[in-house]
Amino acid sequence: MANSTPNFLQFFEQLQQLAAKQRCRFGIRLQGGSDWQQALVQQILNQQNAHAAVFQLGGEPSSGVTHVAAKKGQLLLGRECQLLICDVSDEFDANSFSAALGTLVGGGMLLVIGADACNENPAQQWLTAALSELLVVTPTSIPVIPAVELPLEVDAFAQQTAAVAQIVRVIEGHRKRPLVLTADRGRGKSSALGIAAAQLMQSRSLNIVLTAPTLSAVAPVFHHAFRLLPQAQMNKGELCFGESRLRFMAPDDIIAHLPECDLLLVDEAAALPLPFLMAFVSHYHRAVFSTTIHGYEGCGRGFTLKFQQWLQQERPQTRALHLDQPIRWNLGDPLEAWHRRAFLLDYEFEFLPDALDIAALTYQSISKQQLLADRELLESIFSLLVNAHYQTSPNDLFHLLGDDAMSVFIAKTNKQVVGCILAVREGGLDAELVQQIQLGQRRPKGHLAPVTLANQLGFSEAASQTCLRVMRIAVHPQVQDSGIGSQLLSQFFTTHHADYFATSFGATDELVHFWQRNQFRAMKMGSQRDQASGCYSLLMVKSANAPWTAEASSQFETHFLYELKDTLRTLPPALVRRLMSTSSEAKAGEIPIGLLEQYSYGGANFESVGAWIEQLLLGLTQEQWQQVPDLSIAKVLQQRTWQECAKAFGLAGRKQVEQEIRTSLAKLLTNLHCKTPE
C-alpha cells in the first residue's frame, strides 16, 4: 500500500497534465477501503493549486472544499471548479450529479469515492456498471493513462459570439424573422442570451421580456447581462440599465396579459407547451427561441419535429443556429462522452418502415432485468419517453430501473419499439393510514392518485383499493395519431389488474380528449398551474371495480363549475368546453358531509371543499345563517382573495384565514347535528 500511494499521485499528476494539455476532463473511480480512499483524497487536495476551486457532492465535507448535499448539485450551477469529488456512499441523485458535472472545466478531474452499494437493485447495478467505465483505481492497481488526441483547440467562444450577433440582428433586422437557437448542454446558449441583452440595452432603450419554465432556469442569462452591465440595478427576475429593462415573466403570465415588449427571449423553449410557443410567435414579431436538445431540459426532438416545422410554414424567414462547440471543455471530451452513455443522453430514433401494420404489433411487459440486460431495448424505450414528455429527467432513468412498483409495457414491430407505457402501482393502504391521510396528518409518497382521491375528495375506498397509475405513455413520432396509443392502453388494461386505473397530467384539450376516448373520467383539477407546462394538472380515473367513481365524477362537475369562477378563470375555453361536454345530466344530490368534517379538522384544502361549503351555506335556514361569520361569507360566497380577506379581518395571511373558516365550519356542522370524526 505504501508503494501504491506515490504511484497513484504520480498517475493523477500525469492525468491532470494531459487533461490541461487537451483541455478535457477525466473521471476516476476509487475502489477500496474508506480509510484508504479518504487518505488519497486528502493527498490530492494537498497537492492542488491554491487557486483551484474544489467542489464536493455528498459525503462529509473536507476543509477548503465547497460542499453541497448529494441532492443539491443545482446549487453549484453558474460556477466552475477544477476538481469535483462525488461521494456515492449513501445516495446518488442523477439530476444533482449532472448539474454538478457541468461545473467541471477542461483540465479538471472528477473523483468518485464511496463504497459500492449492494447490487440487487437494477438501478444500483446500472450505476455500478457506469462508474466502472471510469478510470478505476484500487489499492493494488492503477490504470494506464488513456491515449487522448482531441481536435486542435479552436476558439471556444466563436459560436457563442455568432449567436450573440444573430440575437442582436433580431432587433436590428426585419420583423417576423424569429431566431431558433439550439444547443447541446454546456454550449453557452443561455450566456449568449445574457450577453446579447446587455449589448442591446447599452445601445438603445429597450424593454426585453425573458421567459422560461422557471426563473432559476434563466439565472445564467441575468448573470452574464449583469456582468457586462455592473452599473445596472438587479432585483429578483429584473435588471434595469438606464431606460432599458430585462425582466422575467412566467409563460402563463405572458399568455394571460400579453405585455408589450421590444424583444421576447424564450429559453428552454422545448419545455413549454406547443400552443404557448405558437401564441408567442403570433403576438411578438421579434423573438428568440432557445433550447437544449440533449440533456432532458425538454423534449428536444419533439421541439425540432413539431414546432420548427410549424414555424417554417408560418414564418418562412425564420433563422436557425445550432451550437455544438463546448465552452468549458474541448469537443470530444472523454467525461462528456461517458456522461452521455451513462444517462442515455445520446438517444436517436430509428426510422420505422413506411408501411407499418398496426394490427401486426405485439404487446408485452418488460422486466427490470430485461432492461438491464438489453441496453438497446432500454435506449429505445427511454428515447420515446424523453421525446414525449417535457419533464423527463436523469433521475427518471434510475426510477425506471429501481422502483419495484413501476411497470413497463411496450408495443413493438419485429425489432422496433413503437410505443410504451410507464405505470406505477398505488393504493392498498390500511384503514388507519387512510384516516390519517383524510385528516391531513399523513401523505405517504408513491400514492399520488389514492392520496388525492382520499384527502381532497373524501373517498377512503380509493386509498384502500389498488390502483395502477399511467405515469407516461409515448408513441413513436412517425406513427402518432394512428391509434397505437389507445390500442396500447387497451392491451395494458387487459393484461394488468387493479381496482381502478388513473392518470395525472398537465391538462390540454388534446390530451383530455385522448383520455376521454379511452373511458377515463375527470376527478380532480389542480388549483395551481404547473411551473414548467403552464397547465393545470388533471387527475382522471377509469373504473375497473370502483363504484365510488360515479359519485366522484358527479362531484367533479359541481366543483369544476365553482372553480371556474375563481382559480380556473384563465383556463383555455377549448379545455373548458371539453370537460363540460361530458357532464352528466344528473347532478350530485347530497353534500359530502364527511369530506367537510375532515376539512374542518385539518384535512383536504379549501380548493377541494369550497364548492361544498357554498352548497351547505345555500341550504341554511334564516336562523342558521346567523351562525355564519362574515369571513366565511366573504371567502365562500363573494370569493374574495386570501389577501383581501386577511386585510379586511385583521389576519396575517391565508393560513390564519383558512383556520378561521375551518373552525367556524366545525361549529356549524356540530350545530347542524352532523357527526364529527372520532
Coordinates of all heavy atoms in Angstrom, one line a residue, residues 118-175:
C118 N -25.1 -2.6 -2.4 CA -25.4 -3.9 -2.8 C -26.0 -3.9 -4.2 O -26.6 -2.9 -4.6 CB -26.4 -4.6 -1.8 SG -28.0 -3.8 -1.9
N119 N -25.7 -4.9 -5.0 CA -26.1 -4.9 -6.4 C -27.4 -5.6 -6.7 O -27.6 -6.1 -7.8 CB -24.9 -5.6 -7.2 CG -23.7 -4.8 -7.2 OD1 -23.8 -3.5 -7.1 ND2 -22.5 -5.4 -7.3
E120 N -28.3 -5.7 -5.7 CA -29.6 -6.4 -6.0 C -30.5 -5.5 -6.8 O -31.3 -6.0 -7.6 CB -30.2 -6.8 -4.7 CG -29.4 -7.8 -3.9 CD -30.1 -8.1 -2.6 OE1 -31.2 -7.6 -2.3 OE2 -29.5 -8.9 -1.8
N121 N -30.4 -4.2 -6.6 CA -31.4 -3.3 -7.3 C -30.8 -3.0 -8.7 O -29.7 -2.6 -8.8 CB -31.5 -2.0 -6.4 CG -32.5 -1.0 -7.0 OD1 -32.3 -0.4 -8.1 ND2 -33.6 -0.9 -6.3
P122 N -31.7 -3.1 -9.7 CA -31.2 -2.8 -11.1 C -30.7 -1.4 -11.3 O -29.7 -1.3 -12.0 CB -32.5 -3.1 -11.9 CG -33.3 -4.0 -11.1 CD -33.0 -3.6 -9.7
A123 N -31.2 -0.4 -10.6 CA -30.7 0.9 -10.7 C -29.3 1.0 -10.2 O -28.4 1.7 -10.8 CB -31.6 1.9 -10.0
Q124 N -29.0 0.4 -9.1 CA -27.7 0.4 -8.5 C -26.7 -0.4 -9.4 O -25.6 0.0 -9.5 CB -27.7 -0.2 -7.1 CG -26.4 -0.1 -6.4 CD -25.9 1.3 -6.2 OE1 -26.7 2.2 -5.8 NE2 -24.6 1.5 -6.5
Q125 N -27.2 -1.5 -10.0 CA -26.4 -2.2 -10.9 C -26.0 -1.4 -12.1 O -24.8 -1.4 -12.6 CB -27.1 -3.5 -11.4 CG -27.4 -4.5 -10.3 CD -28.1 -5.7 -10.8 OE1 -27.8 -6.3 -11.9 NE2 -29.1 -6.2 -10.1
W126 N -26.9 -0.6 -12.6 CA -26.7 0.3 -13.7 C -25.6 1.3 -13.3 O -24.6 1.5 -14.1 CB -27.9 1.0 -14.2 CG -27.7 1.9 -15.3 CD1 -27.4 3.2 -15.3 CD2 -27.8 1.6 -16.7 NE1 -27.3 3.8 -16.6 CE2 -27.6 2.8 -17.5 CE3 -28.2 0.4 -17.4 CZ2 -27.6 2.8 -18.8 CZ3 -28.2 0.5 -18.8 CH2 -27.9 1.6 -19.5
L127 N -25.7 1.9 -12.2 CA -24.8 2.9 -11.7 C -23.4 2.3 -11.5 O -22.4 2.9 -11.9 CB -25.3 3.6 -10.4 CG -24.3 4.6 -9.8 CD1 -24.1 5.8 -10.7 CD2 -24.9 5.1 -8.5
T128 N -23.4 1.1 -10.9 CA -22.1 0.5 -10.6 C -21.4 0.2 -11.9 O -20.1 0.4 -12.1 CB -22.3 -0.8 -9.8 OG1 -22.9 -0.5 -8.6 CG2 -21.0 -1.5 -9.6
A129 N -22.1 -0.3 -12.9 CA -21.5 -0.6 -14.2 C -21.0 0.7 -14.9 O -20.0 0.7 -15.5 CB -22.6 -1.3 -15.1
A130 N -21.8 1.7 -14.8 CA -21.4 3.0 -15.4 C -20.1 3.5 -14.8 O -19.2 4.0 -15.5 CB -22.5 4.0 -15.3
L131 N -20.1 3.5 -13.5 CA -18.9 4.0 -12.8 C -17.6 3.2 -13.1 O -16.5 3.7 -13.0 CB -19.1 4.1 -11.3 CG -20.2 5.1 -10.8 CD1 -20.4 5.0 -9.3 CD2 -19.8 6.5 -11.2
S132 N -17.8 1.9 -13.4 CA -16.7 1.0 -13.7 C -16.1 1.4 -15.0 O -15.0 0.9 -15.3 CB -17.1 -0.4 -13.6 OG -18.0 -0.7 -14.7
E133 N -16.8 2.2 -15.8 CA -16.2 2.6 -17.1 C -15.3 3.8 -17.0 O -14.6 4.2 -17.9 CB -17.4 2.9 -18.1 CG -18.2 1.8 -18.5 CD -19.3 2.1 -19.5 OE1 -19.3 3.3 -20.0 OE2 -20.2 1.3 -19.7
L134 N -15.3 4.4 -15.8 CA -14.3 5.5 -15.5 C -12.9 4.8 -15.3 O -12.8 3.6 -15.3 CB -14.7 6.3 -14.3 CG -16.0 7.0 -14.3 CD1 -16.4 7.6 -13.0 CD2 -16.0 8.1 -15.4
L135 N -11.9 5.6 -15.0 CA -10.6 5.1 -14.7 C -10.6 4.6 -13.3 O -10.7 5.4 -12.3 CB -9.5 6.2 -14.9 CG -9.4 6.8 -16.3 CD1 -8.5 8.0 -16.3 CD2 -8.9 5.7 -17.3
V136 N -10.6 3.3 -13.1 CA -10.8 2.6 -11.8 C -9.4 2.4 -11.1 O -8.5 1.8 -11.7 CB -11.5 1.3 -11.9 CG1 -11.6 0.7 -10.5 CG2 -12.9 1.5 -12.5
V137 N -9.3 3.0 -9.9 CA -8.1 2.9 -9.1 C -8.4 2.1 -7.8 O -9.3 2.4 -7.1 CB -7.5 4.3 -8.8 CG1 -6.3 4.1 -7.8 CG2 -7.1 5.0 -10.0
T138 N -7.6 1.1 -7.5 CA -7.7 0.3 -6.3 C -6.4 0.4 -5.5 O -5.4 0.9 -6.0 CB -8.0 -1.2 -6.6 OG1 -6.9 -1.8 -7.1 CG2 -9.2 -1.3 -7.7
P139 N -6.4 -0.1 -4.3 CA -5.1 -0.1 -3.5 C -4.0 -0.8 -4.2 O -2.8 -0.6 -3.9 CB -5.5 -0.8 -2.2 CG -7.0 -0.6 -2.1 CD -7.5 -0.6 -3.5
T140 N -4.3 -1.7 -5.1 CA -3.2 -2.5 -5.8 C -3.1 -2.3 -7.3 O -2.2 -2.9 -7.9 CB -3.5 -4.0 -5.5 OG1 -4.8 -4.4 -6.0 CG2 -3.4 -4.3 -4.0
S141 N -3.9 -1.5 -7.9 CA -3.9 -1.3 -9.3 C -4.1 0.1 -9.7 O -5.0 0.8 -9.2 CB -4.9 -2.2 -10.0 OG -6.2 -1.9 -9.7
I142 N -3.4 0.5 -10.8 CA -3.5 1.9 -11.4 C -3.7 1.7 -12.9 O -2.9 1.0 -13.5 CB -2.3 2.7 -11.1 CG1 -2.2 3.0 -9.6 CG2 -2.4 4.1 -11.8 CD1 -0.9 3.6 -9.2
P143 N -4.7 2.3 -13.5 CA -4.9 2.1 -14.9 C -3.9 2.8 -15.7 O -3.2 3.7 -15.3 CB -6.3 2.8 -15.1 CG -6.4 3.8 -14.1 CD -5.7 3.2 -12.9
V144 N -3.8 2.4 -17.0 CA -2.9 3.0 -18.0 C -3.5 4.4 -18.3 O -4.7 4.6 -18.4 CB -2.8 2.2 -19.2 CG1 -1.9 2.9 -20.3 CG2 -2.3 0.8 -18.9
I145 N -2.6 5.4 -18.4 CA -3.0 6.7 -18.9 C -3.7 6.6 -20.3 O -3.0 6.1 -21.2 CB -1.8 7.7 -19.0 CG1 -1.2 7.9 -17.6 CG2 -2.3 9.0 -19.5 CD1 -2.0 8.7 -16.6
P146 N -4.9 7.1 -20.4 CA -5.6 6.9 -21.7 C -4.9 7.7 -22.8 O -4.4 8.8 -22.6 CB -7.0 7.4 -21.5 CG -6.9 8.3 -20.3 CD -5.8 7.8 -19.5
A147 N -5.0 7.2 -24.0 CA -4.4 7.9 -25.2 C -5.6 8.8 -25.7 O -6.6 8.3 -26.3 CB -4.0 6.9 -26.3
V148 N -5.4 10.1 -25.6 CA -6.5 11.0 -26.0 C -5.8 12.0 -26.9 O -4.9 12.8 -26.6 CB -7.1 11.7 -24.8 CG1 -8.1 12.8 -25.3 CG2 -7.8 10.7 -23.9
E149 N -6.3 12.1 -28.2 CA -5.9 13.1 -29.1 C -7.1 13.8 -29.6 O -7.8 13.4 -30.5 CB -5.1 12.4 -30.3 CG -3.7 12.0 -29.9 CD -2.8 13.1 -29.6 OE1 -3.0 14.2 -30.1 OE2 -1.8 12.8 -28.9
L150 N -7.4 15.0 -29.0 CA -8.6 15.7 -29.4 C -8.3 16.7 -30.5 O -7.1 17.0 -30.8 CB -9.2 16.5 -28.2 CG -9.6 15.6 -27.0 CD1 -10.2 16.4 -25.9 CD2 -10.6 14.6 -27.5
P151 N -9.3 17.2 -31.2 CA -9.0 18.2 -32.3 C -8.2 19.4 -31.8 O -8.3 19.7 -30.6 CB -10.4 18.6 -32.8 CG -11.3 17.5 -32.3 CD -10.7 17.0 -31.0
L152 N -7.5 20.0 -32.7 CA -6.7 21.2 -32.3 C -7.7 22.2 -31.8 O -8.8 22.4 -32.2 CB -6.0 21.8 -33.6 CG -4.9 21.0 -34.1 CD1 -4.3 21.6 -35.4 CD2 -3.7 20.8 -33.1
E153 N -7.3 22.9 -30.7 CA -8.1 23.8 -30.0 C -8.6 24.9 -30.9 O -7.8 25.5 -31.7 CB -7.3 24.5 -28.8 CG -8.2 25.3 -27.9 CD -9.2 24.5 -27.2 OE1 -8.9 23.5 -26.6 OE2 -10.4 25.0 -27.2
V154 N -9.9 25.2 -30.9 CA -10.5 26.3 -31.7 C -11.0 27.3 -30.7 O -10.9 27.1 -29.5 CB -11.7 25.8 -32.5 CG1 -11.2 24.8 -33.5 CG2 -12.8 25.2 -31.6
D155 N -11.4 28.4 -31.2 CA -11.9 29.5 -30.3 C -13.2 29.0 -29.7 O -14.2 28.8 -30.4 CB -12.2 30.7 -31.1 CG -12.7 31.9 -30.3 OD1 -12.9 31.7 -29.0 OD2 -13.0 32.9 -30.8
A156 N -13.2 28.7 -28.4 CA -14.4 28.1 -27.7 C -15.6 29.0 -27.8 O -16.7 28.6 -27.6 CB -14.0 27.8 -26.3
F157 N -15.3 30.3 -27.9 CA -16.4 31.3 -27.9 C -16.9 31.7 -29.3 O -17.7 32.6 -29.4 CB -16.0 32.5 -27.1 CG -15.7 32.2 -25.6 CD1 -14.4 31.9 -25.2 CD2 -16.7 32.2 -24.7 CE1 -14.2 31.6 -23.9 CE2 -16.5 31.8 -23.4 CZ -15.2 31.6 -22.9
A158 N -16.3 31.1 -30.3 CA -16.6 31.6 -31.7 C -18.1 31.4 -32.0 O -18.8 32.3 -32.5 CB -15.8 30.9 -32.7
Q159 N -18.7 30.3 -31.7 CA -20.1 30.0 -32.0 C -21.0 30.9 -31.1 O -22.0 31.4 -31.5 CB -20.4 28.5 -31.8 CG -19.8 27.6 -32.8 CD -20.3 26.2 -32.7 OE1 -20.9 25.8 -31.7 NE2 -20.0 25.4 -33.7
Q160 N -20.6 31.1 -29.8 CA -21.3 31.9 -28.9 C -21.4 33.3 -29.4 O -22.4 34.0 -29.4 CB -20.8 31.9 -27.5 CG -21.7 32.6 -26.5 CD -21.0 32.6 -25.1 OE1 -20.1 33.4 -24.9 NE2 -21.5 31.9 -24.2
T161 N -20.2 33.8 -29.9 CA -20.2 35.2 -30.5 C -21.1 35.3 -31.7 O -21.8 36.3 -31.8 CB -18.7 35.5 -30.9 OG1 -17.9 35.4 -29.8 CG2 -18.6 36.9 -31.5
A162 N -21.1 34.3 -32.5 CA -22.0 34.3 -33.7 C -23.5 34.3 -33.2 O -24.3 35.0 -33.8 CB -21.8 33.1 -34.6
A163 N -23.8 33.6 -32.2 CA -25.1 33.5 -31.6 C -25.5 34.9 -31.1 O -26.7 35.4 -31.3 CB -25.2 32.5 -30.5
V164 N -24.6 35.6 -30.4 CA -24.9 36.9 -29.9 C -25.3 37.9 -31.1 O -26.2 38.6 -31.0 CB -23.7 37.5 -29.1 CG1 -23.9 39.0 -28.8 CG2 -23.6 36.7 -27.8
A165 N -24.5 37.8 -32.1 CA -24.7 38.6 -33.3 C -26.1 38.4 -33.9 O -26.8 39.3 -34.4 CB -23.6 38.4 -34.3
Q166 N -26.5 37.1 -34.0 CA -27.8 36.7 -34.5 C -28.9 37.2 -33.7 O -30.0 37.7 -34.2 CB -27.9 35.2 -34.7 CG -26.9 34.6 -35.8 CD -27.4 34.9 -37.2 OE1 -28.5 35.4 -37.4 NE2 -26.6 34.7 -38.2
I167 N -28.7 37.2 -32.4 CA -29.8 37.7 -31.4 C -30.0 39.2 -31.6 O -31.1 39.7 -31.7 CB -29.4 37.3 -30.0 CG1 -29.4 35.8 -29.8 CG2 -30.4 38.0 -29.0 CD1 -28.8 35.4 -28.5
V168 N -28.8 39.9 -31.7 CA -28.9 41.4 -31.9 C -29.6 41.7 -33.3 O -30.4 42.6 -33.4 CB -27.5 42.0 -31.9 CG1 -27.5 43.4 -32.4 CG2 -26.9 41.8 -30.5
R169 N -29.4 40.8 -34.2 CA -30.0 41.0 -35.6 C -31.5 40.9 -35.5 O -32.2 41.5 -36.4 CB -29.4 40.0 -36.5 CG -29.8 40.2 -38.0 CD -29.2 39.2 -38.9 NE -29.8 39.1 -40.2 CZ -29.6 38.1 -41.1 NH1 -28.7 37.1 -40.8 NH2 -30.2 38.2 -42.2
V170 N -32.0 40.2 -34.6 CA -33.5 40.1 -34.5 C -34.1 41.4 -34.2 O -35.2 41.8 -34.7 CB -33.9 39.1 -33.3 CG1 -35.4 39.1 -33.1 CG2 -33.4 37.7 -33.7
I171 N -33.4 42.3 -33.5 CA -33.9 43.7 -33.2 C -33.6 44.6 -34.4 O -34.4 45.4 -34.8 CB -33.2 44.2 -31.9 CG1 -33.9 43.6 -30.7 CG2 -33.2 45.7 -31.9 CD1 -35.3 44.2 -30.4
E172 N -32.4 44.5 -34.9 CA -31.9 45.4 -36.0 C -32.5 45.0 -37.3 O -32.5 45.9 -38.2 CB -30.4 45.5 -36.0 CG -29.8 46.0 -34.7 CD -28.3 46.0 -34.7 OE1 -27.7 45.3 -35.5 OE2 -27.7 46.7 -33.8
G173 N -32.9 43.8 -37.5 CA -33.3 43.4 -38.9 C -34.8 43.5 -39.0 O -35.5 44.2 -38.3
H174 N -35.4 42.8 -40.0 CA -36.8 42.8 -40.4 C -37.6 42.2 -39.3 O -37.2 41.3 -38.6 CB -37.1 42.2 -41.7 CG -36.4 42.9 -42.9 ND1 -36.9 44.1 -43.3 CD2 -35.4 42.6 -43.6 CE1 -36.2 44.5 -44.4 NE2 -35.2 43.6 -44.6
R175 N -38.9 42.6 -39.2 CA -39.8 41.9 -38.2 C -40.2 40.6 -38.8 O -40.0 40.2 -39.9 CB -41.1 42.8 -38.1 CG -40.8 44.2 -37.5 CD -41.9 45.1 -37.7 NE -43.1 44.8 -36.9 CZ -44.3 44.4 -37.4 NH1 -44.4 44.2 -38.7 NH2 -45.3 44.1 -36.6

